Each structure stands twice: as structure tokens, then as C-alpha cells.
Amino acid sequence: MEPISLTAALASFTEQWSPRIVTAVNDYDVRVAKVEGEHVWHVHDHTDEFFLVLTGELHIGLREPDGERTVVLPKGSVFTVPRGTEHKPYAPVPTEILLLEPTGTLTIGDRHDPVPDHVDATTGHTLA
């Protein structure tokens, strides 16, 4: 194993909403992604989803029992969406994020709105 530069990993692709797997920790993928604009409303029924904003700003809409709200994550912020919580990430500016999810977790969760062409519905791509 060699150290992995997140800067180099992020420079190796241009696709939005298309995470790359940079390493694994036990049964979890550490993924990086470039995002801008809207993702889709979706739910991960069996796992939490961890976000770390590396650059830019990420908004996450949440549908909770008490109603909808949006959390705003500036650069350097972390947030965990609890399992079973419907959420929709949105980046008003070009943003780079790091995600921690169980290996095999789909980027659009277990239940989701229709998936537009710009959203990658995979379990992440191997870093080139």
C-alpha cells in the first residue's frame, strides 16, 4: 500500500456525481466525488451516509418526521445522514466531497426519485 493523494485522485476524473473509490476501511469504501447542481431524493434503508466537504459547499435536503429542512456544509464540514432518512444533496458551486459508505452501496440508495442522466447510479468506480 502507498499513500493516496486526494488531490491527484480528484484530478483524475471530471464526471459529476460519479464517485471514485480511493481506499477501503474494513467493509467500507472511502469515495471522492465532484458534484454540482442537484442529485436525487433517495434513502439508504440500511446504512448511514457520511459526507466531508473538501472544497466548495454542499447542501443536503432532509425529509424528517417533523418536516423538511436543509443543512449547509461549507468546506471542512462533516455530516452524517442517518439510515432511513430521505435526503437530496445539492451543490450550488463546484464542490468536492469525500463519502464513507459500506462497500456496494448505490449512490442513489435503496429507494429514489427517477434518476436523471447526469447522476451515476453505481456503487462507485475504481480509481484509475
Side-chain angles (χ1 to χ4, degrees):
M1 295 273 324
E2 293 295 325
I4 298 165
S5 163
L6 293 182
T7 301
L10 286 157
S12 73
F13 66 98
T14 59
E15 297 85 6
Q16 300 286 321
W17 301 107
S18 184
R20 297 305 192 267
I21 301 167
V22 294
T23 192
V25 178
N26 297 316
D27 297 330
Y28 282 76
D29 288 340
V30 178
R31 303 173 184 178
V32 292
K34 294 180 179 186
V35 298
E36 185 175 14
E38 295 187 1
H39 196 44
V40 295
W41 281 104
H42 65 283
V43 177
H44 299 279
D45 289 326
H46 306 289
T47 185
D48 300 336
E49 186 171 19
F50 172 87
F51 294 87
L52 164 62
V53 178
L54 301 170
T55 66
E57 180 177 281
L58 186 69
H59 298 199
I60 303 175
L62 302 165
R63 291 182 176 155
E64 300 172 310
D66 293 338
E68 283 190 23
R69 70 180 176 114
T70 299
V71 295
V72 177
L73 289 79
K75 177 182 174 180
S77 296
V78 299
F79 186 76
T80 300
V81 176
R83 72 189 73 206
T85 301
E86 191 172 11
H87 60 286
K88 180 180 183 178
Y90 166 76
V93 298
T95 298
E96 297 173 334
I97 59 175
L98 182 140
L99 304 155
L100 183 63
E101 299 178 297
T103 299
T105 300
L106 289 172
T107 61
I108 54 168
D110 302 304
R111 296 177 281 124
H112 52 81
D113 281 352
V115 181
D117 291 340
H118 75 276
V119 172
D120 187 352
T122 69
T123 58
H125 300 280
T126 302
L127 192 59

